[in-house]
Amino acid sequence: MYHQQLDGFPKDFLWGAASAAYQVEGAWNEDGKGPSIWDHFAKIPGKTFEGTNGDVAVDHYHRYKEDVALMKEMGMKAYRFSVAWSRVLPDGEGEVNEAGLAFYEALVDELLANGVEPVLTLFHWDLPQALQDRYGGWESRKTADAFETYCRVLYERLGKKVKYWVTMNEQNVFIPLGYRWAAHPPAVTDLKRMYAANHIVNLANAKAIKLFHQLVPEGMIGPSFGYGPIYPLTADPNDVLAAENAEAFNNEWWLSVYCTGKYPRFLVKQLTELGLAPEILPEDRSLLEDAAARPDFLGVNYYHGGTVKTNRIAAPSDEEKEFSETDPYLMQPKDDQAQSPEVPMFNGVANPYLEKTAWGWEIDPVGFRVALRRLQSRYDLPLFITENGLGAVDELTEDGKIHDAYRVEYLRAHLLELQKAVTDGVEILGYCAWSYTDLLSWLNGYKKRYGFVYVDRNEQEEGQLTRIKKDSFYWYQQVIATNGVSLVENV
Ligand code: BG6
């Protein structure tokens, strides 16, 4: 589509920013909170960057009022945060920890009192350790039942105050990283188990949405998916087919279940042939296909897409190898992986047209528009951008400021493409940049920063945790105040 003039952002557009409990809260064992799998995993030597863990993180648990005051100053319309399941149910199920629940209610009240719409994520990776120990975590259907119990507690307590809810954050990331690449807990490398655990999470997601529709009829709920569009490297039809295969493996496998209640047929056949398909019981199908289990919107976390070429039967070149080993989040099939069913079908390669961040993530604002267009036309749901941002090394300069012009440039380019997507006709509820304050990266410590608000903290746990507004803070403040009009000024 081409437009002489862009439409404005919708009147009630939710300009926001996001975080996740483990990455900001700290207070890991305070006020009755139980341990999560991340509290354990991060303390195993060698698992995280310089041994960082979330025991203190950026201390949001104690400083949430200060953080919300800054949100108000920025004019933020929405704040996406997650609830730590084991703060509310220390044992994963059973007894409710009133102090934990009260913390989230106080946070929600503080947000509402300051004109910020809460967007509550139910699961952002910090599974209660008790469920991992008792049931084997997401490998058991009992964990899906426990998730439903936990959701019920939150719906009953906060359903009248919180309108927007996210079920699972990036199931397509935490499942492969946890059960295939062993970069996240429970650090398994087994594809069969990965597909089985993934199915259980699909059931948990469906149960949570179904229950929500009963208990919070006025609200809206959906999963947040880490979507990246796949491009073929060339117009060679073999590359195009490779891209189709990669879309199926990397995206459709989840999106189709979420949005249609059905697993995609080509991939089911393929995985069945390979002996990797999950066991799907008749009652699972009824649950997944139940219209009440369909999301009201699709959350989209956009960082980058991927480019593929046709099958790689021979060993990869050094350049390809280097590319695939840059970052575990790129999740390219690796040769040393015991089973890599994708290898004969597609091979991830660098896109020759795109620059990369310091962490090797391709920077592709146009891909953002492509992503939104594809999702809207395939699934026809309203979209909510629940994450998008630039991870960079930020420097606190002598003037006591952070001049992050690179972040402004990144965000502006993405927001302009978002505006084009809106003008194309994509329905978008809001945009939550990743992240609000700087926070603990799961695997990159505090070196890789995303926030509008700098937090004085490093891997050695030094720093006073002081909050400092970056240049991007003031820039986003203007974007929000003008409902996006300032994006096109001074371009
Ligand atoms: C997303 C996650 O995958 O990426 C966030 O939802 C995460 O929790 C973000 O922090 C950025 O990842 P990283 O590794 O750059 O911190």
Side-chain angles (χ1 to χ4, degrees):
M1 310 298 130
Y2 173 76
H3 316 283
Q4 295 282 0
Q5 209 182 340
L6 297 184
D7 291 355
F9 284 89
K11 192 164 67 58
D12 300 320
F13 193 71
L14 292 168
W15 295 100
S19 73
Y22 181 76
Q23 298 180 272
V24 295
E25 284 180 5
W28 77 286
N29 60 357
E30 282 183 44
D31 298 336
K33 178 180 173 292
S36 77
I37 54 173
W38 273 93
D39 293 321
H40 273 235
F41 180 76
K43 287 168 192 155
I44 302 170
K47 294 296 185 192
T48 62
F49 182 68
E50 298 191 4
T52 39
N53 64 54
D55 285 4
V56 177
V58 297
D59 199 30
H60 176 69
Y61 186 77
H62 298 114
R63 296 169 197 246
Y64 72 93
K65 288 196 176 173
E66 181 186 350
D67 290 338
V68 175
L70 283 168
M71 290 176 202
K72 185 183 184 188
E73 182 183 336
M74 195 194 225
M76 241 165 71
K77 307 279 186 224
Y79 176 53
R80 173 180 177 233
F81 63 95
S82 78
V83 170
W85 182 344
S86 63
R87 202 180 280 293
V88 174
L89 292 167
D91 204 33
E93 55 191 349
E95 201 78 3
V96 173
N97 175 34
E98 173 53 33
L101 199 50
F103 166 71
Y104 293 108
E105 185 159 36
L107 172 62
V108 165
D109 288 343
E110 190 72 12
L111 290 166
L112 293 172
N114 286 283
V116 185
E117 187 77 45
V119 180
L120 189 158
T121 302
L122 290 156
F123 184 74
H124 200 128
W125 305 356
D126 46 356
L127 186 78
Q129 181 66 36
L131 296 177
Q132 190 65 43
D133 295 341
R134 193 175 310 127
Y135 302 135
W138 289 120
E139 293 183 77
S140 165
R141 287 163 188 270
K142 292 197 172 130
T143 298
D145 295 339
F147 185 65
E148 192 181 16
T149 304
Y150 156 68
C151 291
R152 179 185 290 277
V153 172
L154 289 173
Y155 298 159
E156 286 177 349
R157 183 68 164 257
L158 297 175
K160 291 214 163 47
K161 297 183 177 186
V162 178
K163 177 168 181 199
Y164 299 97
W165 297 68
V166 171
T167 51
M168 301 291 167
N169 180 72
E170 293 185 354
Q171 187 179 338
N172 61 317
V173 172
F174 80 79
I175 286 289
L177 288 183
Y179 294 87
R180 181 177 188 182
W181 307 117
H184 281 195
V188 170
T189 49
D190 185 318
L191 274 180
K192 175 103 183 135
R193 286 172 65 187
M194 176 187 90
Y195 283 111
N198 185 65
H199 178 63
I200 306 287
V201 179
N202 281 335
L203 299 179
N205 181 66
K207 280 170 186 271
I209 294 179
K210 206 173 155 182
L211 184 66
F212 181 84
H213 287 141
Q214 278 168 30
L215 299 183
V216 194
E218 306 293 306
M220 292 183 83
I221 193 164
S224 277
F225 187 76
Y227 184 71
I230 307 289
Y231 305 138
L233 180 64
T234 71
D236 175 347
N238 291 302
D239 283 350
V240 174
L241 186 61
E244 290 282 317
N245 288 335
E247 269 285 335
F249 267 94
N250 294 346
N251 297 321
E252 233 188 290
W253 182 245
W254 288 275
L255 290 170
S256 175
V257 177
Y258 291 154
C259 303
T260 73
K262 291 192 167 55
Y263 278 100
R265 59 188 292 142
F266 301 144
L267 205 40
V268 168
K269 182 161 188 297
Q270 178 78 81
L271 294 177
T272 306
E273 282 166 20
L274 293 165
L276 293 172
E279 184 189 25
I280 305 171
L281 304 177
E283 57 266 36
D284 297 350
R285 281 191 208 286
S286 324
L287 170 67
L288 296 176
E289 289 176 16
D290 190 330
R294 286 292 78 66
D296 304 304
F297 65 84
L298 184 63
V300 182
N301 292 359
Y302 178 78
Y303 292 93
H304 57 78
T307 302
V308 298
K309 66 177 191 179
T310 189
N311 59 330
R312 180 186 75 209
I313 303 295
S317 65
D318 287 348
E319 196 191 319
E320 284 168 1
K321 238 180 167 159
E322 193 192 324
F323 175 73
S324 70
E325 281 162 10
T326 326
D327 190 298
Y329 280 88
L330 296 175
M331 293 184 289
Q332 302 294 341
K334 294 179 180 62
D335 268 14
D336 58 4
Q337 196 69 29
Q339 309 172 76
S340 276
E342 301 95 327
V343 167
M345 292 172 238
F346 61 89
N347 180 24
V349 291
N351 186 315
Y353 299 97
L354 300 175
E355 302 278 313
K356 295 189 183 114
T357 71
W359 274 266
W361 291 17
E362 286 171 343
I363 302 173
D364 183 12
V366 176
F368 192 23
R369 184 177 177 190
V370 174
L372 300 171
R373 288 269 300 269
R374 280 189 187 172
L375 293 173
Q376 178 81 70
S377 57
R378 282 180 198 166
Y379 304 112
D380 200 24
L381 281 170
L383 305 177
F384 197 149
I385 313 310
T386 40
E387 285 184 33
N388 170 237
L390 175 70
V393 177
D394 288 336
E395 197 197 341
L396 180 60
T397 45
E398 277 179 5
D399 55 2
K401 296 187 171 159
I402 298 91
H403 300 298
D404 57 344
Y406 38 89
R407 179 166 295 108
V408 168
E409 191 188 323
Y410 178 100
L411 293 173
R412 187 206 303 272
H414 283 77
L415 283 169
L416 283 169
E417 293 303 321
L418 177 63
Q419 191 173 358
K420 288 178 198 165
V422 168
T423 311
D424 290 337
V426 176
E427 187 183 353
I428 301 187
L429 301 172
Y431 171 90
C432 286
W434 186 263
S435 52
Y436 175 57
T437 60
D438 286 340
L439 40 72
L440 174 70
S441 167
W442 305 92
L443 301 176
N444 297 291
Y446 298 96
K447 204 170 156 62
K448 190 180 188 187
R449 291 170 181 265
Y450 283 87
F452 293 114
V453 177
Y454 183 87
V455 180
D456 176 26
R457 180 88 175 153
N458 67 16
E459 283 75 20
Q460 287 67 49
E461 304 194 0
E462 295 162 343
Q464 298 306 306
L465 294 158
T466 315
R467 275 59 173 151
I468 303 170
K469 291 168 262 177
K470 302 183 191 178
D471 287 359
S472 56
F473 179 100
Y474 298 102
W475 169 81
Y476 198 45
Q477 189 178 45
Q478 267 304 104
V479 172
I480 299 172
T482 61
N483 200 26
V485 172
S486 67
L487 284 171
V488 281
E489 288 164 5
N490 317 313
V491 179

